[in-house]
Every structure is written in C-alpha cells, then in structure tokens.
C-alpha cells in the first residue's frame, strides 16, 4: 500500500503536533506531503517562540546549508551562520510555504490514550479536548528555564536573571557581572558582555567544557560532527584530544584546563562542546576570567566552591533548561530517569504506539539537521500506521 495515507475511516483524525518550533513545523510539513492532516498546536502567539526570545547576537552554530528544514532551503543572503532574526523569518516563511495548519494560543497540558485505544486525547487550554490518530511532541529541548536552588539565593541583593531573560549587553555596561555556566549560551553571553562594555566579567565553571573552533580553514565543526557521529566513541575521543591540542591553546594558566574526559563521551552524556565565538581570545587576554562554580549566596556576596567570596553587580544564570515533560506525558511511562523521552524520531515507545518525540536530543551533527531527518522518519511511520488502519 502506498505511504500516502487514505483519507477515509478512522484515519481521518488529524495528527496533533505539540510545539510550533523548527521540529514541529518540519514534522507537519512532512506529514502534509504524505496526504495527512497535521495540526500544530503552539501555546504562544507565533511560530518559533523560543527563537524570538533568544539574545540578540545569537547565530546558528551550524551552517545554513545543513540547517534547512525539509522542502525549503534557507536563502543564501542569510549567510553561512544564520542570525536569530533570520531563523525566525525562515520559520515564518516555512509555515506559509508549506501552508501549515498552525493554531496559536493553545497549550496542551496532558496527553492520554483514547478510551477505545485507537488514538490519542489531548487536554488543552480553554477546556478543549482534542482527539487525534497520533501525537508528535515537539515542545523543545529548551522549554523551562532552570535555576539551581542555591542556598541563600533569596538573600542576594544584586541583580540575578536566567540567561533566557538576557537580550543584549547595554544594561550591563560598566558593571561587574558573573555568568554562571560555561555551555554555549554562557560562553557567548560572557563574550557579548565584554564586547558591550561590562567592567568585569567572570564565568563560573562547574565542569570544564570541550571547546572547538566553529570553523577551521573553512571546514565547519558541524561537518566533522556529521562524519564521526557513528564512529566508536573511544576513537572519536582520541581524535578529539589530538585536534584540540592543535586548534585550541592551553588555557590552564587562565583557569580553564583541558577536560579530563573525552569529547564524544561527553556528547553521549548530553553535553555538546562549546563552539568558540570569541571565548578563547577573551579568556586568553583576561577579559573573561573563569572562576569556581557557585556554592551559595550571602547578601551581596556570591560564595564560590573554592571558598572565594565575590560581590558582582549582576549574576546571569546560564544554567540550562528542563524539558518539563512530566505533566504532559510522564504518566505514560515514556520518560527515563532524567525526564528524557525513551525514544525519538520514527520510533514510538512500545507502550505508547502513535506517540512520537522530536527535538529532545543534542546531537553533535546539529539539532536542525537531525530534526529535519527525524521529521521524515516520523511522517513515514505515521503514514504506514494510517494506511494499515485504513
């Protein structure tokens, strides 16, 4: 039977896609291409909501060519490293180009099997109860900002914001700022602050990151990630150590030693390397100073893990996000101990056939690229199920 779905019988129920970001839109486009009705439910008032909230200087760390979603290339005028605003423009154009059915202002709070076991029921805002033949959860890797419950945090008299609230360096000009967390977001915000006139910038480091050049002699780090993603972890770790010593200077003297664990081992555990957009030079020159991780707060003072006490004017917590899937699907036994979906892409959990997830991994080969690939796999799987049901 053809993968293109029959439009008769129970299969006429729509597929509900929860989340109007790149992952959800890509799945909807692939489903539509196979003759299936896909309804994207987005809780905000527009597609690409999380991208609209990112800081101003953000650019994709993956190339324009390998970041396009199925069925529409990114315009060449966007350049090699696409800006935040151009990503938003692209997602809007993508929605129009594929004539996607997007319903905004609708938040889904819970997903359950229908009573007869033939589909899925969604409880949504406004008292809505929606029934679909399948559900794709695409609410995103960066869903809910996470700030650690540091002792004494409620006594801190300085300014503290999560990185999700940071937009530009202007409000921090001439201020002493501590950035907590040295992932890609923390590293880039620290550089942004230095370039924007902050009087002092320190970055609190819990785990020393792997740092890679975004591009070396025109060769993007993403290309290497694509090539090595299926190689043995030990082999990639060894190659990564060698390349790091060639491409990245030793910053141990500045408080940022080389990691003692392998690059790909870290990726498999969910931590991608930091792509250098100025951090190396900023640390090397002393404009960004690595310090120990935050232990606690005490009035106007931040206490670091090594006992150092500092009094920054502002603290920016680049401490990550929670996927926040527990209330939505946690009762279905489809999440692991860390709250991550047990499957992704074209595979649905055995105990939840017809339920799919995309955008909850952090692949070395690029998130946009993998979401694009997952979209085709999910659509193919749903179309096959629909054809069998018909």
């Amino acid at each position: 039977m053809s993968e293109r779905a029959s439009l008769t019988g129970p299969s006429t129920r729509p597929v509900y896609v929860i989340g109007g970001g790149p992952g959800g839109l890509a799945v909807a486009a692939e489903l539509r291409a196979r003759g299936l009705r896909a309804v994207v439910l987005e809780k905000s008032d527009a597609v690409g909501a999380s991208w609209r909230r990112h800081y101003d200087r953000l650019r994709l760390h993956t190339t324009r060519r390998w970041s396009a979603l199925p069925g529409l290339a990114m315009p060449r005028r966007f350049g090699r490293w696409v800006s935040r605003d151009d990503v938003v423009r692209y997602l809007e154009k993508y929605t129009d180009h594929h004539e996607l059915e997007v319903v905004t202002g609708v938040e889904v709070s819970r997903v359950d099997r229908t009573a007869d076991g033939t589909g899925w029921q969604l409880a949504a805002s406004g008292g809505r109860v929606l029934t679909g033949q399948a559900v794709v959860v695409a609410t995103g890797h960066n869903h809910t900002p996470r700030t650690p419950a540091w002792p004494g945090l409620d006594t801190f008299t300085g300014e503290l914001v999560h990185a999700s609230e940071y937009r530009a360096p202007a409000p921090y000009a001439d201020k002493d700022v501590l950035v907590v967390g040295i992932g890609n977001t923390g590293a880039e915000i620290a550089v942004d602050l230095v370039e924007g006139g902050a009087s002092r910038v320190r970055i609190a480091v819990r785990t020393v990151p792997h740092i890679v050049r975004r591009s070396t002699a025109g060769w993007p780090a993403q290309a290497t990630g694509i090539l090595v993603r299926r190689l043995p972890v030990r082999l990639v770790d060894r190659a990564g150590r060698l390349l790091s010593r060639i491409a990245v200077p030793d910053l141990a003297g500045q408080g940022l030693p080389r990691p003692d664990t392998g690059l790909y081992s870290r990726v498999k555990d969910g931590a991608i390397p930091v792509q250098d957009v100025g951090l190396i030079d900023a640390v090397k020159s002393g404009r960004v100073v690595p310090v120990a991780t935050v232990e606690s707060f005490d009035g106007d003072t931040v206490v670091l893990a090594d006992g150092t006490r500092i009094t920054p004017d502002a603290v920016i917590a680049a401490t990550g996000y929670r996927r926040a899937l527990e209330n939505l699907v946690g009762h279905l036994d489809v999440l692991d101990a860390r709250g991550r979906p047990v499957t992704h892409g074209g595979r649905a959990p055995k105990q939840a056939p017809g339920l799919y997830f995309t955008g909850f991994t952090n692949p070395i080969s690029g998130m946009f690229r993998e979401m694009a690939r997952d979209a085709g796999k999910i659509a193919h799987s749903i179309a096959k199920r629909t054809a069998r049901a018909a």
Side-chain angles (χ1 to χ4, degrees), residues 11 13 29 62 67 92 101 119 130 147 196 205 208 287 359 368 374 378:
S11 63
R13 289 174 176 169
T62 52
S67 299
E92 291 173 340
E101 188 175 349
L130 309 172
T147 301
V205 181
V208 179
R287 294 179 300 152
F368 270 57
D374 280 351
I378 291 170

Side-chain angles (χ1 to χ4, degrees), residues 7 11-18 24-41 98-103 132-136 378-379 382:
L7 297 180
S11 63
T12 55
R13 289 174 176 169
V15 177
Y16 283 108
V17 181
I18 307 174
L25 298 179
V27 171
E30 289 281 31
L31 286 166
R32 192 176 189 282
R34 289 164 172 79
L36 288 163
R37 183 187 174 201
V39 180
V40 179
L41 303 175
H98 288 293
E99 299 179 342
L100 301 183
E101 188 175 349
V102 179
V103 183
Q133 59 166 305
V135 173
V136 182
I378 291 170
I382 293 175

Side-chain angles (χ1 to χ4, degrees), residues 83-316:
S83 71
R84 176 203 64 184
D85 290 347
D86 282 337
V87 170
V88 172
R89 291 185 186 98
Y90 174 73
L91 296 179
E92 291 173 340
K93 177 66 175 177
Y94 192 83
T95 302
D96 293 340
H97 177 79
H98 288 293
E99 299 179 342
L100 301 183
E101 188 175 349
V102 179
V103 183
T104 59
V106 175
E107 183 173 8
V108 179
S109 57
R110 185 179 171 99
V111 176
D112 287 290
R113 292 289 283 173
T114 54
D116 61 7
T118 62
W120 291 92
Q121 182 172 288
L122 287 69
S125 54
R128 298 176 179 86
V129 177
L130 309 172
T131 303
Q133 59 166 305
V135 173
V136 182
V137 180
T139 50
H141 197 273
N142 297 342
H143 185 273
T144 302
R146 181 180 65 83
T147 301
W150 288 300
L153 179 58
D154 59 343
T155 72
F156 184 54
T157 57
E159 177 187 354
L160 186 146
V161 298
H162 188 271
S164 60
E165 300 175 64
Y166 177 85
R167 295 294 178 271
Y172 301 94
D174 301 319
K175 289 186 177 182
D176 181 342
V177 187
L178 173 67
V179 179
V180 184
I182 195 169
N184 276 295
T185 296
E188 190 157 358
I189 287 176
V191 173
D192 201 30
L193 289 166
V194 166
E195 295 177 353
S199 62
R200 185 176 192 177
V201 178
R202 288 173 282 205
I203 189 163
V205 181
R206 183 182 64 178
T207 304
V208 179
H210 286 274
I211 303 174
V212 299
R213 301 284 189 181
R214 186 166 66 175
S215 179
T216 303
W219 179 264
Q222 183 188 9
T224 302
I226 293 170
L227 290 174
V228 306
R229 64 190 298 270
R230 298 192 183 280
L231 294 178
V233 173
R234 288 184 181 180
L235 177 62
V236 180
D237 281 349
R238 287 198 295 269
R241 278 192 292 271
L242 176 61
L243 291 173
S244 177
R245 292 185 181 278
I246 294 172
V248 179
D250 185 359
L251 300 173
Q254 288 77 33
L256 204 59
R258 296 187 189 280
D260 56 7
T261 54
L263 183 152
Y264 205 29
S265 295
R266 289 267 192 93
V267 170
K268 290 295 187 180
D269 198 38
I272 62 171
V274 171
Q275 292 209 15
D276 178 48
V277 290
L279 180 68
I280 292 174
D281 288 343
V283 171
K284 193 174 180 180
S285 66
R287 294 179 300 152
V288 171
V289 178
V291 297
T293 192
V294 172
E295 187 72 23
S296 63
F297 289 78
D298 182 13
D300 65 349
T301 302
V302 180
V303 183
L304 304 180
D306 61 3
T308 303
R309 299 171 69 87
I310 61 176
T311 55
D313 299 314
V315 175
I316 299 174

